[in-house]
Amino acid sequence: MKAIQLNGLGSVEHLSVVEVPTPEVGEDEVLIKNKYAGIMYADIMQRKGGYLFQPPLPFIPGKEVSGVVEKVGSDVKDIAPGMRVMTTVLLGGYAEYVKAFERDIIVLPDNVSFGQGLVYLVNLPVAYLAYAVFGNVQPGETILLHAAAGGVGTMITQIARRKGQNTVIALSSSDEKLAYCKKNGADHGVNYKTIDYREAVLKLTNGQGVDICFNSVSGSTLQTDPLCIKYRGRWVIYGYSGGAGTIDPLGENIITKSLNITSFTTYSVFGTEDQINMYQFLHKWLATENLESPTKTFIMDDIGAAHTWMESQRSFGKIVLEI
């Protein structure tokens, strides 16, 4: 089968299309013929060697796939060849075929396309965890949202507007992306490349700050965010696309404001009731809400361009790889 392999850490030049054996399924596994693979910022970090889970080289990247079941193992009960499905895997998504455990398979509803499935497969559960579980957002609260034009940011905005009637202040790096955020439901947009987002947020909140800030960026924003959050406000950190950064608990506006700081990763909820709830939320959303499609599609030979596009901060919404 054809697959995209990472042969070295760093540049996109280390990504190449190769021929490798088609995976053999185990007793409780399913073989999927891929239609699309999702491209995530986690893939970028893994390519550079800075991800939480860093496998030995060479390996096939990719954590999100959607396609048609080709073959099932002898112990698989509820999944059959021909079913339209999507799933997450630790590795191997950038390939014509991928195997996954039956327990991780989600059957696509008839109304959901392969591309649409990948818009929601990971982004919506993460957004649900941020908003409902770790953020505990209440109706009417004001939200400050980093990377608001990204996959997870898009979903947090949709949940906030459709479920909680929250005011959303979207942060992004271009006016074009902010226009997308506004169309997606954000109330206000702030281009942090051109203006001081702290001053903008305080002006929008009459000097009070927001009730809750969602941060998937970290880096230098860990120094600025506390200035934007009100007394006893919440700060949810769930990513580090801008670098690790540091938090000084003795710094101004953290202890003095009695801020509540929470961090999470989806890996921590596997096997818990929160995992059950987030997938129930996903299934209900797919069945009842108006769905988005991927905003940009690349082919396998253009995987380097796909990664470069995401790294350039020009991307918004969901990027997928057509297999």
Side-chain angles (χ1 to χ4, degrees), residues 42-68:
D43 301 340
I44 307 294
M45 291 189 288
Q46 199 168 56
R47 191 196 79 222
K48 294 181 174 181
Y51 191 57
L52 291 173
F53 170 64
Q54 202 62 43
L57 293 166
F59 63 87
I60 300 169
K63 308 180 190 316
E64 305 171 301
V65 298
S66 63
V68 178

Side-chain angles (χ1 to χ4, degrees):
M1 70 171 185
K2 187 179 293 185
I4 294 168
Q5 185 169 274
L6 182 69
N7 301 301
L9 300 180
S11 167
V12 295
E13 295 177 358
H14 295 302
L15 292 165
S16 60
V17 179
V18 297
E19 288 287 339
V20 296
T22 301
E24 293 291 335
V25 295
E27 295 177 344
D28 57 349
E29 292 178 324
V30 171
L31 183 67
I32 301 167
K33 184 175 183 179
N34 284 354
K35 296 292 186 181
Y36 292 95
I39 297 178
M40 310 167 64
Y41 205 84
D43 301 340
I44 307 294
M45 291 189 288
Q46 199 168 56
R47 191 196 79 222
K48 294 181 174 181
Y51 191 57
L52 291 173
F53 170 64
Q54 202 62 43
L57 293 166
F59 63 87
I60 300 169
K63 308 180 190 316
E64 305 171 301
V65 298
S66 63
V68 178
V69 176
E70 181 86 2
K71 185 178 180 181
V72 300
S74 58
D75 290 344
V76 173
K77 305 298 183 185
D78 299 320
I79 303 297
M83 283 185 170
R84 300 168 63 253
V85 299
M86 60 182 180
T87 191
T88 56
V89 290
L90 285 176
L91 291 173
Y94 294 179
E96 289 183 301
Y97 293 89
V98 65
K99 66 177 181 179
F101 291 108
E102 181 186 18
R103 65 173 184 262
D104 297 327
I105 300 294
I106 296 174
V107 177
L108 280 168
D110 292 339
N111 65 301
V112 182
S113 71
F114 293 112
Q116 286 177 321
L118 292 188
V119 173
Y120 297 91
L121 173 61
V122 169
N123 292 333
L124 187 65
V126 173
Y128 165 81
L129 290 172
Y131 181 92
V133 178
F134 296 98
N136 190 29
V137 180
Q138 300 302 304
E141 289 188 317
T142 300
I143 293 170
L144 176 60
L145 181 60
H146 285 273
V152 175
T154 296
M155 295 295 106
I156 290 177
T157 301
Q158 291 187 15
I159 295 172
R161 298 301 296 145
R162 299 183 193 183
K163 305 299 183 183
Q165 293 301 302
N166 304 106
T167 298
V168 177
I169 302 173
L171 296 180
S172 201
S173 60
S174 73
D175 292 341
E176 179 187 13
K177 290 164 77 170
L178 288 176
Y180 170 81
C181 294
K182 290 283 193 71
K183 185 178 179 181
N184 187 51
D187 299 273
H188 307 284
V190 176
N191 184 339
Y192 65 82
K193 291 284 191 179
T194 59
I195 61 176
D196 184 332
Y197 79 82
R198 176 189 65 87
E199 292 182 2
V201 169
L202 291 177
K203 183 176 180 180
L204 288 169
T205 58
N206 296 317
Q208 296 300 304
V210 298
D211 295 288
I212 183 166
C213 174
F214 292 110
N215 190 319
S216 61
V217 178
S218 295
S220 62
T221 65
L222 298 182
Q223 308 301 315
T224 313
D225 278 1
L227 303 171
C228 304
I229 306 171
K230 65 172 53 174
Y231 167 68
R232 295 191 68 182
R234 284 110 65 212
W235 190 17
V236 179
I237 301 166
Y238 60 98
Y240 51 96
S241 61
T246 57
I247 296 175
D248 179 6
L250 297 178
E252 184 180 2
N253 293 294
I254 293 182
I255 284 183
T256 56
K257 284 186 176 179
S258 299
L259 298 186
N260 295 284
I261 305 173
T262 303
S263 64
F264 79 93
T265 170
T266 51
Y267 294 114
S268 68
V269 306
F270 292 149
T272 71
E273 186 176 353
D274 288 330
Q275 182 186 19
I276 297 171
N277 292 337
M278 74 182 189
Y279 282 126
Q280 287 178 342
F281 187 86
L282 171 64
H283 284 292
K284 184 176 180 180
W285 190 283
L286 292 176
T288 60
E289 297 289 335
N290 293 326
L291 302 180
E292 306 288 334
S293 295
T295 54
K296 198 166 183 66
T297 302
F298 291 85
I299 61 173
M300 292 180 75
D301 286 341
D302 291 337
I303 185 60
H307 274 222
T308 300
W309 178 262
M310 177 169 277
E311 285 185 273
S312 70
Q313 294 189 314
R314 288 177 291 171
S315 67
F316 50 88
K318 185 62 183 176
I319 304 172
V320 296
L321 187 69
E322 185 175 3
I323 305 299

